[in-house]
Amino acid sequence: QVQLVESGGGLVQAGGSLKLSCEFSGRSFRNYAAGWFRQPPGKDREFVAGIRWSGMSTYYTDSVKGRFTISRDNAKNTLYLQMNSLKPEDTAVYHCVADRVDDPLNYHKSTFWSSWGRGTQVTVSS
């Protein structure tokens, strides 16, 4: 059974940076597509970024392009999200996700992902 555990969240001022990590266990991480979703206060979950099992292709929602970078280290079974130039509207609980099926056309759909972490809180103050 796949388990995902996020870390690295916290409180940061606008313009600052944070790096989130997600530790994957239970299966071979190199066989899974992975990504990040976030849920702002009082809003629905939204897609942030996705990465293919090989790490060769990445995908982002428009609002984070140029500021966030998703990456993975298959040898360490770890997924990352480097977040720069943070804005108050980035405040949310960030969840890492994974799935055995690698279909970038569906990365943006929350229903596509079979495994979810519990999340880590990111708060950006103005």
Side-chain angles (χ1 to χ4, degrees):
Q1 185 173 356
V2 171
Q3 290 187 323
L4 303 170
V5 180
E6 303 94 337
S7 62
L11 174 64
V12 63
Q13 288 188 332
S17 298
L18 281 175
K19 186 173 184 177
L20 305 184
S21 299
C22 175
E23 185 175 335
F24 178 102
S25 62
R27 292 289 186 273
S28 179
F29 184 49
R30 66 182 67 251
N31 294 327
Y32 281 72
W36 292 92
F37 273 70
R38 66 186 180 186
Q39 186 164 18
K43 297 184 179 180
D44 292 334
R45 287 177 178 176
E46 60 184 19
F47 171 75
V48 176
I51 187 168
R52 304 202 72 168
W53 64 268
S54 65
M56 295 299 289
S57 297
T58 57
Y59 306 83
Y60 299 92
T61 192
D62 286 346
S63 63
V64 308
K65 285 180 181 177
R67 300 188 298 122
F68 290 11
T69 303
I70 187 172
S71 62
R72 64 191 295 162
D73 186 336
N74 286 342
K76 294 183 178 180
N77 295 329
T78 304
L79 177 72
Y80 302 100
L81 184 68
Q82 176 67 49
M83 305 185 294
N84 298 329
S85 301
L86 283 161
K87 304 175 181 180
E89 51 263 44
D90 293 318
T91 294
V93 176
Y94 284 71
H95 299 269
C96 65
V97 294
D99 199 275
R100 185 67 177 84
V101 176
D102 193 359
D103 183 3
L105 290 177
N106 286 307
Y107 280 6
H108 65 287
K109 299 177 182 178
S110 62
T111 54
F112 169 75
W113 301 95
S114 58
S115 298
W116 289 72
R118 292 189 173 185
T120 186
Q121 176 71 46
V122 172
T123 303
V124 184
S125 63
S126 57

